[in-house]
Amino acid sequence: MRVLLLGGTTEARRLAGLVAGEFTVVSSLAGRTRDPLLPAGDVRIGGFGGVTGLAAYLRETRIDVVVDATHPFAATMSEHAFEACAAVGVPLLVLRRPGWSAGPGDDWHRVASLAEAADLLPQRGRRVFLTTGRQGLASFAEHDGCWFLARSVEPPEAPMPRRMEVLLDRGPFTVAGERELIIRHRIDVLVTKDSGGSGAKLVAARELEIPVLMVDRPAAPAADTVSTADDAATWLRQRGR
């Protein structure tokens, strides 16, 4: 069975490691990171050219199954995968890590977009910890009244806030490390996306009573969906029988 695995997420790499010895796995990475962590099996880097290009790729390479394990906010790629698989008649599985839920002691404010988060900032704080990725910094470029600590894997590009310090780092992160970072930079509000994962920064924010602006994730495609790489591997093995 030939499997196209979309995404460079932790879950995608784990799934590739679980099934690369059983199936022919091709992992497709967007190419936005210059030094990506490579999964087991074959790897292709770069886009497909929209729905038409992806559908052509599925036909030409005789892909049997597609697993969409992209980042929960990669809505365009997920939409293209859904439409291309429907056009070609290839089964699609969506692998999405669970989102976060607020608990006792959390001071969260859910918003629909980065723009809405930016609009709320002056009411929530002035020293901002941004963990929304480098491509989202433009939404905060006009906030000269705030100071930003922006963390990303790759250096950001303009437009971005004028008063900003960039921290280049890649997770996983620890609660102790996040707590120290927030205290050292005198952060008084955290802005992040509901991407799921360990959530060390959210625990640190709770402990330090820091408010959080949480951007809701877009809806996932209406396809078979699992939340762990192990469940995705089980689904693939059932298909491969």
Side-chain angles (χ1 to χ4, degrees):
M1 189 168 71
R2 293 182 58 81
V3 180
L4 176 62
L5 179 52
L6 302 173
T9 59
T10 300
E11 293 77 18
R13 291 192 299 273
R14 172 163 170 74
L15 177 58
L18 288 172
V19 301
E22 302 173 51
F23 312 117
T24 300
V25 177
V26 180
S27 293
S28 177
L29 311 183
R32 293 173 180 165
T33 303
R34 285 175 293 184
D35 187 24
L37 299 175
L38 297 179
D42 296 331
V43 177
R44 72 174 300 279
I45 296 178
F48 293 93
V51 176
T52 302
L54 177 54
Y57 178 87
L58 297 180
R59 293 189 187 97
E60 292 166 5
T61 58
R62 299 182 180 179
I63 296 297
D64 297 300
V65 176
V66 174
V67 180
D68 173 10
T70 56
H71 190 276
F73 281 80
T76 299
M77 186 67 245
S78 291
E79 181 180 342
H80 288 179
F82 179 79
E83 293 181 13
C85 286
V88 178
V90 171
L92 171 67
L93 175 68
V94 176
L95 170 55
R96 285 286 185 279
R97 71 185 78 153
W100 290 311
S101 298
D106 285 323
D107 182 12
W108 289 12
H109 308 271
R110 286 196 172 270
V111 294
S113 66
L114 289 173
E116 186 178 343
D119 288 341
L120 285 177
L121 264 187
Q123 306 170 32
R124 304 301 174 188
R126 296 287 180 173
R127 295 186 65 84
V128 187
F129 187 15
L130 272 181
T131 63
T132 57
R134 63 190 175 101
Q135 293 181 314
L137 297 183
S139 296
F140 305 89
E142 302 303 318
H143 274 284
D144 289 342
C146 295
W147 179 89
F148 295 88
L149 174 66
R151 183 166 64 196
S152 63
V153 176
E154 298 284 337
E157 298 177 355
M160 54 185 160
R162 182 177 59 85
R163 302 176 61 216
M164 183 177 74
E165 178 178 331
V166 177
L167 176 61
L168 299 180
D169 204 356
R170 189 200 305 261
F173 304 104
T174 66
V175 174
E178 301 290 67
R179 186 191 307 114
E180 189 276 333
L181 198 65
I182 290 172
I183 293 173
R184 173 158 47 93
H185 291 280
R186 295 180 287 117
I187 298 298
D188 58 14
V189 61
L190 167 66
V191 181
T192 192
K193 294 178 177 179
D194 188 8
S195 54
S198 66
K201 58 194 171 188
L202 298 174
V203 177
R206 179 194 309 141
E207 293 177 353
L208 296 171
E209 299 182 348
I210 300 296
V212 177
L213 296 181
M214 179 72 69
V215 181
D216 286 329
R217 59 174 60 178
D224 287 352
T225 302
V226 294
S227 60
T228 69
D230 293 279
D231 287 343
T234 298
W235 189 94
L236 287 173
R237 288 168 185 143
Q238 291 172 344
R239 284 275 175 179
R241 288 173 184 167

